[in-house]
Amino acid sequence: MNKLTIPSVVVLSCALAGCAPTTQHTATTRNETKASVSNPNNATKQTAALPAANSTNAKRRDANAMALPSAERVQITAKTVTSKHDKITYPQLSGLTDPTVESKLNALLQINPAHLQTIGSDDSYTANYQIVFQAGPLLEIDETAYDFPQGAAHGEPSQQMILMNLETGATYQMGDLFRAGSDYLDVLSQQIRQEDTKSILDSNFSGVTEKDGFAITQTGVRIFFDPYEWAAFAAGFPTFDIPYDILQPVINVQSDLWQTLQRADTQNDIHVQTEDMDKIKSLGYQPYRLSYSDAVPWFAQSNTPQGIPLYAFSGTRGNSGLGKMFFFLGNKYLGTDTLGDHKLPINLYPDGSASMVGEYSTTGANGELKSFTTRFHWNGNQLDTTPDFPDSFS
């Protein structure tokens, strides 16, 4: 199997129009310059042309640069603390125009490494972060953790959603989106009952509370529940997406959160991301959702020096649970992480300018699961992967 496909399969015009998948690995068209993806083995493959500096999307971003300098320049860098069996990775922000806001948000995002000293020497504790939503000045990060005491039947997963405004430093909770005194909890609960067609939740489900998981998406809100709360542990974090259209009667349209969602720059970013997801669908994959046990879809964004965001989205084929990572520069399709479908990363997160990290798992020679890390970096002309995928990865 050819392990590296970021050279995926399409010519530029086909990528924008949403053509059918093809088995071709390289493509060119007349009057089109090629970009390449490099790997540590110096094996260079060709992919479709990438956006020039004066592309339509670049103009969109440039037009918003003066209006939103904090979001244009923000960078997210991973900080890691390790001990014997433990690894904590958390995000830190840089490039915000207001240093007070930057310090406040970084303090909120930091996972206290003192936790490593409070658990047993043979216990394991891991923590990481994911981007849930990023558009305009809004950034939503999910900090996940897994605490596995020695001798336990299984570990205990946890999640903390942090939705923030990069300009003001404001943070938002579920109630900040809805009208005070409205029956929004009942509306959410009723919609979830209708969506739970597979009866994931217990029959005695009593409804959503303010303590339940809450996130925003490009098209609506996401509600999720902790393991054991309303379903078996094996169900993970049962998750339900509810469109804004359904919630419109109870949304506080004057709220700071809703007004920020409606800003032109926020809506432009959402529009570009939606174009990217439509492209993934045109290739026969479902972007984002893996299963009802996934509270957070795989999505990462890293700002580039050129002001055009580098995106990565997960995509799964059918109900197989297998898929690929799809990469875009703004709304220009770059390709996928591998040619063949595979289990999606354990973690995917931005780490510095124009860079993101994927942590994958593979099976070793003795049958044990192993992990490896690959960094994807846009160098201004091509997307580099370091290191390349190992031969054992499938």
Side-chain angles (χ1 to χ4, degrees), residues 98-109 168-171:
D98 188 332
T100 302
V101 168
E102 185 173 299
S103 296
K104 171 189 173 182
L105 295 178
N106 279 335
L108 184 64
L109 291 169
T168 66
T171 55

Side-chain angles (χ1 to χ4, degrees), residues 1 64 106 168 208 226 231-232 332:
M1 164 180 162
N64 292 326
N106 279 335
T168 66
V208 178
D226 290 335
K332 308 299 182 181

Side-chain angles (χ1 to χ4, degrees), residues 146-378:
Y146 193 74
D147 193 350
F148 201 154
Q150 183 185 24
H154 55 72
E156 292 294 333
S158 63
Q159 293 186 307
Q160 178 188 15
M161 293 288 182
I162 305 174
L163 173 59
M164 66 196 77
N165 187 312
L166 298 175
E167 291 181 334
T168 66
T171 55
Y172 306 101
Q173 307 298 323
M174 185 188 302
D176 294 322
L177 182 62
F178 301 102
R179 289 189 289 107
S182 69
D183 61 346
Y184 69 89
L185 291 175
D186 291 337
V187 173
L188 292 169
S189 301
Q190 183 59 31
Q191 188 62 29
I192 286 173
R193 291 187 180 98
Q194 293 179 17
E195 289 190 18
D196 188 23
T197 57
K198 296 184 178 181
S199 299
I200 301 296
L201 304 180
D202 292 343
S203 58
N204 62 345
F205 171 63
S206 62
V208 178
T209 72
E210 291 282 356
K211 295 182 180 179
D212 290 321
F214 167 79
I216 62 172
T217 72
Q218 287 85 353
T219 58
V221 303
R222 177 169 289 130
I223 302 295
F224 63 93
F225 305 100
D226 290 335
Y228 287 131
E229 184 179 1
W230 294 115
F233 180 82
F237 295 82
T239 303
F240 301 88
D241 290 335
I242 304 174
Y244 291 124
D245 288 348
I246 292 176
L247 300 172
Q248 198 66 45
V250 292
I251 288 177
N252 179 4
V253 296
Q254 301 302 320
S255 67
D256 179 57
L257 175 54
W258 184 252
Q259 290 292 313
T260 306
L261 273 168
Q262 303 313 304
R263 281 175 45 161
D265 46 10
T266 306
Q267 287 297 310
N268 177 71
D269 285 345
I270 291 174
H271 175 72
V272 172
Q273 294 167 19
T274 301
E275 286 183 338
D276 294 346
M277 289 185 283
D278 287 344
K279 171 60 183 177
I280 294 171
K281 292 177 183 177
S282 78
L283 295 174
Y285 292 79
Q286 176 62 37
Y288 277 3
R289 178 57 64 83
L290 306 182
S291 73
Y292 276 95
S293 65
D294 295 299
V296 179
W298 294 117
F299 164 71
Q301 173 180 342
S302 180
N303 286 342
T304 67
Q306 295 79 17
I308 306 176
L310 174 68
Y311 292 123
F313 300 83
S314 64
T316 55
R317 188 187 291 276
N319 296 319
S320 67
L322 303 178
K324 304 174 184 177
M325 298 304 303
F326 294 80
F327 293 87
F328 296 81
L329 192 66
N331 60 357
K332 308 299 182 181
Y333 178 46
L334 303 184
T336 60
D337 54 353
T338 64
L339 280 171
D341 293 345
H342 55 76
K343 291 182 179 179
L344 293 174
I346 304 168
N347 289 299
L348 178 75
Y349 54 88
D351 184 19
S353 177
S355 295
M356 53 188 65
V357 172
E359 295 182 6
Y360 295 80
S361 65
T362 187
T363 303
N366 57 0
E368 293 182 359
L369 286 178
K370 296 183 178 181
S371 64
F372 65 92
T373 298
T374 295
R375 175 178 293 273
F376 303 96
H377 175 72
W378 175 252

